Amino acid sequence: MAKHRIALIEGDGIGHEVIPAARRVLDALGFDAEYVEAHAGYEYFLDHGTSTPDATYEAVENTHATLFGAATSPTDKPKGFQGAIRHLRQKYGLYANVRPTKTRPVPGAFQNVDLVIVRENTQGLYVEQERLYGDTAIADTVITRGASQAIGQFATRLAMTRRQQLTVVHKANVLPVTQGLFLNTIMDEARLIDGLNLGTMIVDNAAMQLVRNPQQFDVLVMTNMFGDILSDLAAGLVGGLGIAASGNIGDQFGIFESVHGSAPDIAGKGVANPTATVLAAVLMLQHLGEAELAAKLDNAVNRILEEGPRTRDLGGTAGTEEFTRALIGML
Ligand code: NAI
Ligand code: MG
């Protein structure tokens, strides 16, 4: 019997290209796993009337971790459609969205960046409670003490395994009730930790500081939408979405995915960069306690990024297949 059971969800668009590539890479790495393939996303919804079938829940629940490709969420939401990845995050209480940003050998990257954005993953504005009253649209934002405590503790623990520095990013100056609860709850938790270098920063300043001096940061924690936006910004500092990975982590389950979406502009063309999904697999390996395999894969990715072939998003000419083969060759 294989040591690990892994659910694989391709999802939509380039998910069909990057997940098979990542699986081949994991095989070449010698990762001892049995895979359970499952469906989720907009394409599945169009064919079957649901974005997430029961078999997908079973796959997530009966495996040790899930590797997820990408899911489309159309701006013009059809009736009955539920964004697949947001739904899974909610259903399984995957409250921590962990998005590391690290300098890798790619052209134009900021040097010496090594930070992690920890995004609260289940609340904030993304509870998707919107209403229209005539010409007025209202969206709820939900912040609870419990969820803020959980994400605060997660971020604090993570910071203590790194450079012991935590920045709480917020907008409590304008939204003292919701953002204030988030900020104060985390500050109360984090102040109790000996040796933690704790700071706060207002989100708009954080956006500017990330661009001007990203090296000052270690771990940053923030509410859902701020984390969504700033983590793409951070990805842009070091080479873009083609190499940005994330983990959705709860007390029981973990779903690992790229930061990018389904990339309809390039889907089906064989040019998607699978690195983001491969690096999501690195986070998955770390989560599964396979530190050695994780390090080996991470190093192989860096060597390929340095020596080539490079995909088009990083200024090269390689397609998904050529890049994947080169990475497999390196392993
Ligand atoms: P996107 O992340 O899909 O693409 C943004 C840009 O980056 C595009 O030009 C795309 O070609 C490029 N890109 C993304 N991944 C790449 C890769 N691996 N290799 C090379 N180039 C890559 O964001 P977009 O276009 O705003 O959204 C498309 C769909 O994806 C939407 O329906 C959106 O809702 C969804 N989405 C889903 C996410 C998820 O599943 N977690 C995250 C972000 C968007
Ligand atoms: Mg996003």
Side-chain angles (χ1 to χ4, degrees):
M1 215 175 83
K3 185 168 169 201
H4 300 285
R5 272 171 70 81
I6 303 298
L8 285 182
I9 302 175
E10 293 182 1
D12 294 315
I14 60 170
H16 301 298
E17 298 161 67
V18 295
I19 286 286
R23 178 183 180 157
R24 284 162 60 201
V25 168
L26 284 169
D27 285 342
L29 179 68
F31 177 54
D32 183 12
E34 178 193 337
Y35 293 98
V36 180
E37 290 180 54
H39 297 282
Y42 186 57
E43 293 164 20
Y44 194 86
F45 171 83
L46 292 178
D47 289 343
H48 299 89
T50 172
S51 69
T52 328
D54 288 344
T56 300
Y57 300 138
E58 280 164 34
V60 171
E61 289 164 19
N62 296 323
T63 53
H64 303 119
T66 299
L67 192 60
F68 188 92
T72 298
S73 42
T75 311
D76 195 4
K77 216 188 321 184
K79 217 175 149 46
F81 176 74
Q82 214 174 13
I85 188 69
R86 273 193 309 286
H87 172 61
L88 291 170
R89 287 167 181 163
Q90 299 274 359
K91 179 172 170 78
Y92 292 112
L94 308 177
Y95 58 86
N97 192 321
V98 184
R99 301 187 156 190
T101 294
K102 190 167 81 169
T103 302
R104 295 185 181 273
V106 299
F110 279 62
Q111 294 306 300
N112 304 316
V113 178
D114 184 5
L115 59 86
V116 183
I117 290 182
V118 175
R119 156 184 171 192
E120 199 291 316
N121 214 16
T122 58
Q123 304 194 326
L125 262 175
Y126 290 4
V127 293
E128 299 183 74
Q129 300 291 331
E130 293 190 295
R131 302 173 292 288
L132 193 59
Y133 301 105
D135 289 335
T136 302
I138 297 180
D140 290 331
T141 186
V142 176
I143 304 287
T144 65
R145 191 181 305 279
S148 304
Q149 243 158 11
I151 198 70
Q153 286 167 359
F154 186 98
T156 305
R157 276 198 305 272
L158 179 65
M160 292 310 286
T161 67
R162 292 172 46 93
R163 300 194 304 278
Q164 290 97 41
Q165 188 199 319
L166 180 67
T167 309
V168 189
V169 174
H170 67 93
K171 193 74 187 181
N173 51 328
V174 176
L175 300 167
V177 178
T178 48
Q179 287 288 318
L181 179 61
F182 183 81
L183 172 66
N184 294 329
T185 304
I186 295 184
M187 292 303 282
D188 289 347
E189 289 285 331
R191 271 196 206 99
L192 304 174
I193 308 297
D194 269 349
L196 180 68
N197 179 359
L198 181 63
T200 65
M201 200 176 276
I202 294 177
V203 63
D204 30 356
N205 182 31
M208 192 273 289
Q209 295 287 339
L210 274 166
V211 173
R212 295 283 293 180
N213 179 16
Q215 296 85 358
Q216 71 184 288
F217 295 108
D218 181 14
V219 177
L220 303 93
V221 62
M222 60 197 78
T223 49
N224 209 338
M225 186 163 73
F226 293 163
D228 188 9
I229 297 168
L230 290 189
S231 57
D232 271 38
L233 182 150
L237 300 174
V238 298
L241 290 176
I243 61 170
S246 72
N248 301 279
I249 299 171
D251 291 330
Q252 215 181 344
F253 299 107
I255 300 183
F256 299 83
E257 55 163 343
S258 57
V259 170
H260 64 68
S262 56
D265 53 336
I266 58 166
K269 295 186 178 154
V271 298
N273 185 354
T275 305
T277 302
V278 169
L279 291 176
V282 169
L283 297 176
M284 181 180 80
L285 291 168
Q286 288 167 349
H287 181 76
L288 293 169
E290 295 282 4
E292 226 168 277
L293 287 180
K296 186 177 168 198
L297 184 51
D298 195 83
N299 288 334
V301 167
N302 273 350
R303 278 190 61 189
I304 289 285
L305 290 175
E306 193 162 0
E307 296 169 18
R310 285 193 179 131
T311 47
R312 299 206 302 205
D313 55 308
L314 298 177
T317 57
T320 313
E321 181 61 28
E322 185 188 348
F323 178 88
T324 304
R325 275 203 203 151
L327 181 54
I328 287 171
M330 183 67 73
L331 290 165

